[in-house]
Amino acid sequence: MIFSEEQINNYMDQAIGEALQAKERAEVPIGCVIVDNQTGEVIGRGSNEREETQDAIKHAEIIAIEQACKAVGSWRLEHTSLFVTLEPCPMCAGAIINSRIEEVIFGASDPKAGSVGSIVNLLTETRYNHQPEVLANVKEQETGDLLRNFFREIRRKK
Amino acid sequence: MIFSEEQINNYMDQAIGEALQAKERAEVPIGCVIVDNQTGEVIGRGSNEREETQDAIKHAEIIAIEQACKAVGSWRLEHTSLFVTLEPCPMCAGAIINSRIEEVIFGASDPKAGSVGSIVNLLTETRYNHQPEVLANVKEQETGDLLRNFFREIRRKK
């Protein structure tokens, strides 16, 4: 890993901040930040926008990756790390491969769609042309509680 | 399959038309159309825009899916079919799962990134919450030649 434990926790806190913004908009609370590994600067941010946009592509990671590509002026995000509160789905894991992101740090595992260890692990598949480093389950309890509490509140309202 | 062989060939020709437009913009020629299964209308079109936009997400399928979501006003594309000239990569296969597309018809297989049979098959994985029907290798020679000729020309210019 490029960053220290303290830095990793700090960036995950920023991803959690993005997730909380999604929650305020009644979206499933998932958040993501992308960091330039050389400067430590956050160059992409995203939170889940699927419901408000009614667009299947608008996951937190995709929004952050598109913003980071704009920031660096390239589809290659080789010297960057992606922090996300939930294990990426196959679409987002594929987008991470396509953009050559160097490191992926995620919070809670996702048994329903997670594609970085839960259902499949796309990021260790050596037949793809890129394999990022992965650190799983950072702030697992906090990122998991965010989702569990959100769905508990929804069920209570029904 | 919902459509007849003649209809499938016709929609694949439209996807090839999109791929040819990408080629004119010096993009790797990959094209996609999404069809409403009830009306037969094309509700989404896309061709590869990765180089011109320098955006890792801008694959033909993603562009077509976002357009189709706008057309139907929903992230759910349940009664639609997606026609694409090349086997989808993991990102695009994941986007197909996420948008609940009913049928996927693709042209040439992609040994380097194909995730509908070549490297993995994400669309038959029953632990994801959706499995579309798949028809592989429609107009395989024509869609494959499109790519082979494109890369041959690039090598010649170097």
Side-chain angles (χ1 to χ4, degrees):
Chain A
M1 287 285 126
I2 285 158
F3 296 109
S4 70
E5 198 183 326
E6 191 189 336
Q7 287 173 315
I8 287 172
N9 284 334
N10 167 48
Y11 290 126
M12 187 57 81
D13 281 340
Q14 295 198 47
I16 291 169
E18 292 295 320
L20 290 170
Q21 289 188 28
K23 193 183 177 185
E24 282 177 23
R25 303 188 315 265
E27 296 278 351
V28 177
I30 304 162
C32 177
V33 297
I34 296 175
V35 179
D36 181 317
N37 290 343
Q38 283 149 342
T39 64
E41 194 192 343
V42 173
I43 58 168
R45 294 177 177 276
S47 60
N48 182 25
E49 296 182 5
R50 189 182 67 171
E51 296 303 326
E52 57 190 312
T53 60
Q54 287 296 312
D55 180 336
I57 310 299
K58 291 281 180 278
H59 283 198
E61 298 95 312
I62 301 288
I63 294 165
I65 289 171
E66 293 204 280
Q67 204 177 101
C69 287
K70 274 207 186 92
V72 304
S74 171
W75 61 263
R76 293 172 185 271
L77 300 177
E78 275 145 341
H79 306 292
T80 68
S81 296
L82 180 145
F83 296 76
V84 60
T85 56
L86 185 69
E87 182 184 355
C89 79
M91 174 178 77
C92 293
I96 287 163
I97 295 169
N98 289 349
S99 57
R100 315 281 200 273
I101 287 171
E102 195 173 352
E103 294 195 345
V104 173
I105 299 93
F106 71 82
S109 289
D110 180 6
K112 289 186 178 166
S115 299
V116 188
S118 288
I119 292 183
V120 293
N121 193 337
L122 295 174
L123 301 190
T124 54
E125 174 52 68
T126 54
R127 285 172 296 172
Y128 293 125
N129 62 2
H130 178 66
Q131 293 86 44
E133 291 288 311
V134 175
L135 182 61
N137 303 138
V138 168
K139 296 201 173 226
E140 184 177 14
Q141 187 69 37
E142 190 177 346
T143 53
D145 282 347
L146 202 60
L147 286 162
R148 281 185 288 271
N149 293 338
F150 178 79
F151 288 113
R152 196 173 297 141
E153 281 172 37
I154 283 181
R155 282 193 299 271
R156 204 178 290 154
K157 283 176 191 164
K158 275 184 180 167
Chain B
M1 286 284 126
I2 285 157
F3 297 108
S4 69
E5 196 181 327
E6 190 188 337
Q7 286 172 315
I8 288 171
N9 285 333
N10 167 48
Y11 290 125
M12 187 58 80
D13 281 340
Q14 294 198 46
I16 292 169
E18 292 295 321
L20 290 170
Q21 288 187 29
K23 193 181 177 186
E24 282 177 22
R25 303 188 314 266
E27 296 277 351
V28 177
I30 304 162
C32 177
V33 297
I34 296 175
V35 179
D36 181 317
N37 289 342
Q38 283 149 343
T39 64
E41 193 193 341
V42 173
I43 58 169
R45 294 176 176 278
S47 60
N48 182 24
E49 295 183 5
R50 188 181 69 171
E51 297 303 327
E52 57 191 312
T53 61
Q54 287 296 312
D55 181 335
I57 311 299
K58 290 282 181 280
H59 283 197
E61 298 95 313
I62 300 288
I63 294 165
I65 288 171
E66 293 204 280
Q67 203 177 103
C69 287
K70 275 208 187 91
V72 304
S74 172
W75 60 263
R76 292 172 185 273
L77 300 177
E78 275 145 341
H79 306 292
T80 68
S81 296
L82 179 144
F83 295 77
V84 59
T85 55
L86 185 68
E87 182 185 355
C89 78
M91 173 178 77
C92 293
I96 287 163
I97 295 169
N98 289 349
S99 57
R100 315 281 200 272
I101 286 171
E102 195 172 354
E103 295 195 345
V104 173
I105 299 93
F106 70 83
S109 290
D110 180 6
K112 289 186 179 167
S115 298
V116 188
S118 288
I119 292 183
V120 294
N121 193 336
L122 296 173
L123 301 190
T124 55
E125 173 52 68
T126 54
R127 286 172 295 172
Y128 293 125
N129 62 1
H130 178 66
Q131 293 84 44
E133 290 288 310
V134 175
L135 183 61
N137 303 137
V138 169
K139 296 203 172 224
E140 184 177 14
Q141 186 71 38
E142 191 176 345
T143 53
D145 281 347
L146 202 59
L147 286 162
R148 282 185 287 271
N149 293 338
F150 178 78
F151 288 113
R152 195 173 299 139
E153 281 172 37
I154 283 181
R155 282 193 299 272
R156 204 178 290 153
K157 281 175 192 166
K158 275 184 180 167

